[in-house]
Amino acid sequence: MIDSPVQTFAIVVMLVLFSIFYRSYIAYRREQYIREAAFPQGLLQKLIKKHPKLNAQDTHLVSKALRQYFLTYHRAKYKHVSMPSEVVDDLWHEFILYTRNYEQFCKRAFGRFFHHTPAVVLGNDKKNNAGLRRTWWHACKEESINPQNASRLPLLFAIDGKLDIVHGRTYALNCKDNSHLNGGSTCCVGDFSTSNVDGRTDGFGDAGGDSGNGGCGGGCGGGD
């Protein structure tokens, strides 16, 4: 029996603290699972069939980038995130074809099913634009990069260019020099923090505000 309002308050505080601790623990366990879970046997070989120029070391790098993408979804608290890489998108699609494995992975990693969405670039779709900026923010944070003044690209945004993927999505940190534009096929990460593409930044990831390293005009090219 509760004897006083003080005891009632203490119990409420304890329950709130327990709830916060439990949610943090679950988030930590899910993040560790995303980092360490084994992908299905034969999955990376499927990627080589689609991209014959890749070797085993390349596919390992792609799988690491896919984990980074899954981490962005987890850390964005399951808000919409957009896929910036063609080759990582291909691996994600192949993973989904292992239906039972993918469903089990999603359940343990997110507590829900993570539906596939194709790779995109900044354009007229505000939801995809916000999702791409959100992916950029969390991918940078994963590698201790300042997303508003990046000195390098996070793996998820660098990998198509690094592996020379045909019709891949390539990104440049600074597009003021037209030599970075690669014939119009390079995306400018400066556009993630400006409103010159679709009229808004949608909070630049999940950080809030419109501050950034300035726009560089320029659009994107890449895959079909």
Side-chain angles (χ1 to χ4, degrees), residues 14 36 102 211 220:
M14 289 177 62
E36 300 171 1
Y102 185 70
S211 60
C220 303

Side-chain angles (χ1 to χ4, degrees), residues 55-70:
N55 58 38
Q57 185 176 357
D58 295 334
T59 61
H60 175 75
L61 200 62
V62 178
S63 70
K64 184 177 179 181
L66 180 58
R67 292 183 195 275
Q68 187 174 85
Y69 182 65
F70 289 151

Side-chain angles (χ1 to χ4, degrees), residues 82 120-133 169 187 191-192 194-200 218-221:
S82 300
V120 299
V121 295
L122 287 176
N124 295 322
D125 190 308
K126 293 186 177 183
K127 180 179 179 181
N128 284 337
N129 290 352
L132 196 59
R133 290 182 170 110
R169 316 279 180 174
C187 303
D191 285 339
F192 295 156
T194 69
S195 58
N196 65 346
V197 177
D198 65 353
R200 68 175 186 179
C220 303

Side-chain angles (χ1 to χ4, degrees), residues 64-196:
K64 184 177 179 181
L66 180 58
R67 292 183 195 275
Q68 187 174 85
Y69 182 65
F70 289 151
L71 284 170
T72 68
Y73 181 59
H74 169 69
R75 290 178 175 176
K77 302 185 186 304
Y78 315 126
K79 296 177 185 177
H80 179 70
V81 290
S82 300
M83 169 60 74
S85 162
E86 287 292 336
V87 70
V88 177
D89 182 59
D90 287 339
L91 183 60
W92 184 17
H93 186 266
E94 292 294 342
F95 187 14
I96 291 173
L97 297 180
Y98 289 79
T99 308
R100 184 175 299 178
N101 300 80
Y102 185 70
E103 288 179 351
Q104 186 177 52
F105 176 86
C106 288
K107 183 177 180 180
R108 294 191 60 182
F110 314 120
R112 66 188 70 197
F113 192 85
F114 185 17
H115 290 279
H116 176 264
T117 54
V120 299
V121 295
L122 287 176
N124 295 322
D125 190 308
K126 293 186 177 183
K127 180 179 179 181
N128 284 337
N129 290 352
L132 196 59
R133 290 182 170 110
R134 188 171 290 119
T135 301
W136 168 257
W137 181 269
H138 290 288
C140 284
K141 289 294 186 178
E142 165 68 11
E143 296 188 28
S144 300
I145 299 170
N146 180 353
Q148 294 175 307
N149 188 22
S151 59
R152 60 185 175 87
L153 297 171
L155 177 62
L156 187 55
F157 286 79
I159 193 162
D160 281 14
K162 181 179 180 64
L163 299 181
D164 196 23
I165 299 300
V166 177
H167 303 306
R169 316 279 180 174
T170 55
Y171 296 82
L173 292 175
N174 181 359
C175 303
K176 293 179 182 178
D177 180 353
N178 287 337
S179 65
H180 290 80
L181 294 179
N182 191 25
S185 65
T186 298
C187 303
C188 304
V189 297
D191 285 339
F192 295 156
S193 59
T194 69
S195 58
N196 65 346

